[in-house]
């Protein structure tokens, strides 16, 4: 019986094999024929082009990643020490809850809102770990779409390009408000305030907490208070993007001034935090999204909804970066070291701003480049036009975005003179 059954089974498999293992014909894939090649990301595509360039003169001023004076990625000593501690502290890599590592979230919120925040001390902030700044903004976008579906998101007329991608794919309508003045290469404060006063109640206003990307133009503290008062008076919903706390000025408290001023005024707000730049944790995708609430009951309810929204997006956030930041912020020695190191990074960037302007003058430039030293943070809006940017790339192998934005972190004592001479060469015969 057993032998007969085996022979029957073999015979069946032989007969059915052509049907079961028939390879797919190329015609089966015709359903994808209508998919067009997408355009390269303006920043990531620039980085790829730079990597392929074999010219030894090449300089990358495009990507927003910090480099030391040797043009090397900088791993903070406090991060290295935290990794050693965590290797002993954590024996596994189990999933985090949907809302992330609680100790990280609490220490991150304390860093942003300040230990004296009444909102934080009362437990009136709903905070959820997210995938760096992009994931935090996206979680905020889908939250708004679900619970404030008719809200319009107002972005500065110059802003991080990915803001538009994030809120578009969240299904939200977007409009602009005036922010940057190309004539002064500074803040259009009058236009900004006028536009805010005209917005409908309940409008969402995206604000860069510090180191505005891409312009490097920040309001003064006095101007921030004017913005805050109008936002409160008009019943607007501020959505802060905080990607550079501590990295902007070297002081985490100074860089949080705007956020804390809005919080102290009792304005309900949304906050997207990134720990990529200020902790050098770019690839760990470490961030927090939070919402301030009127009471702990609201906070509990909102957090429950954030977890529901995050579950089908990333389900459980990455664990390593969260552990590193939590260990640093909750270890006094490492917290002190981090504050020292983040100031070193901020100071180097500030010194490169001064250096490129000095070198432009030494090269003979008669143009006014003071806007570069007036701006702050990782990026500067140079004022260069597309033609000049293309010349820099083709003739000098200097890579920057077509809008003239440069990453100051790409400058160092070895290339700043070369870059300044090239800038002078492409601008010396132009109105600027």
């Amino acid at each position: 019986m057993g032998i007969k059954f085996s022979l029957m089974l073999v015979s069946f498999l032989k007969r059915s094999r052509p049907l079961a293992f028939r390879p797919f014909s190329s015609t089966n894939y015709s359903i994808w024929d209508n998919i067009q090649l997408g355009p390269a990301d303006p920043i990531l595509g620039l980085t790829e082009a730079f990597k392929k360039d074999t010219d030894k003169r090449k300089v990358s001023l495009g990507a927003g990643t910090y480099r030391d004076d040797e043009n090397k990625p900088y791993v903070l000593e406090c991060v290295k020490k935290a990794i050693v501690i965590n290797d002993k502290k954590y024996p596994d890599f189990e999933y985090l809850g949907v809302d992330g590592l609680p100790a990280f979230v609490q220490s991150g919120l304390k860093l942003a809102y300040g230990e004296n925040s009444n909102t934080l001390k009362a437990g009136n902030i709903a905070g959820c770990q997210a995938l760096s700044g992009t994931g935090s903004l996206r979680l905020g976008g889908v939250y708004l779409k679900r619970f404030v579906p008719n809200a319009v998101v107002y972005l500065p007329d110059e802003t991080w390009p990915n803001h538009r991608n994030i809120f578009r794919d969240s299904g939200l309508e977007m409009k602009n408000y005036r922010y940057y003045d190309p004539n002064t290469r500074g803040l259009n404060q009058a236009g900004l305030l006028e536009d805010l006063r005209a917005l409908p109640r309940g409008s969402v206003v995206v604000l860069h907490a510090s180191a505005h990307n891409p312009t490097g133009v920040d309001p003064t503290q006095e101007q921030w208070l004017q913005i805050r008062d109008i936002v409160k008076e008009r019943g607007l919903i501020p959505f802060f993007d905080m990607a550079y706390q501590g990295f902007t000025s070297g002081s985490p408290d100074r860089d949080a001034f705007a956020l804390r001023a809005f919080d102290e005024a009792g304005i309900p707000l949304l906050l997207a935090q990134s720990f990529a730049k200020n902790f050098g944790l770019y690839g760990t995708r470490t961030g927090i999204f939070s919402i301030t609430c009127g009471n702990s009951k609201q906070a509990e309810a909102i957090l429950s909804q954030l977890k529901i929204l995050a579950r089908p997006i990333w389900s459980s956030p990455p664990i390593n970066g969260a552990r590193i930041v939590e260990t640093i912020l909750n270890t006094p020695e490492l917290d002190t070291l981090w504050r020292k190191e983040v100031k070193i990074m901020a100071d180097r960037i500030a010194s490169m701003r001064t250096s490129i302007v000095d070198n432009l003058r030494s090269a003979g430039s008669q143009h006014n480049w003071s806007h570069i030293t007036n701006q702050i943070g990782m990026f500067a809006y140079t004022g260069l036009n597309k033609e000049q940017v293309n010349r820099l790339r083709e003739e000098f192998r200097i890579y920057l975005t077509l809008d003239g934005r440069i990453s100051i972190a790409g400058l160092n004592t070895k290339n700043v003179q070369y870059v300044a001479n090239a800038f002078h060469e492409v601008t010396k015969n132009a109105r600027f």
Side-chain angles (χ1 to χ4, degrees), residues 48 66 190 206 208 282 385 430:
E48 290 303 312
Y66 181 79
V206 173
H208 298 234
Y282 301 95
N385 60 36

Side-chain angles (χ1 to χ4, degrees), residues 131 149 174 205 280 359:
L131 274 60
M174 291 172 287
V205 181
N359 276 277

Side-chain angles (χ1 to χ4, degrees), residues 229-248:
D229 292 345
I230 293 175
V231 166
K232 184 173 184 178
E233 175 188 339
R234 293 294 306 146
L236 307 178
I237 304 172
F239 192 159
F240 280 95
D241 184 351
M242 180 182 271
Y244 302 96
Q245 188 182 3
F247 192 93
T248 304

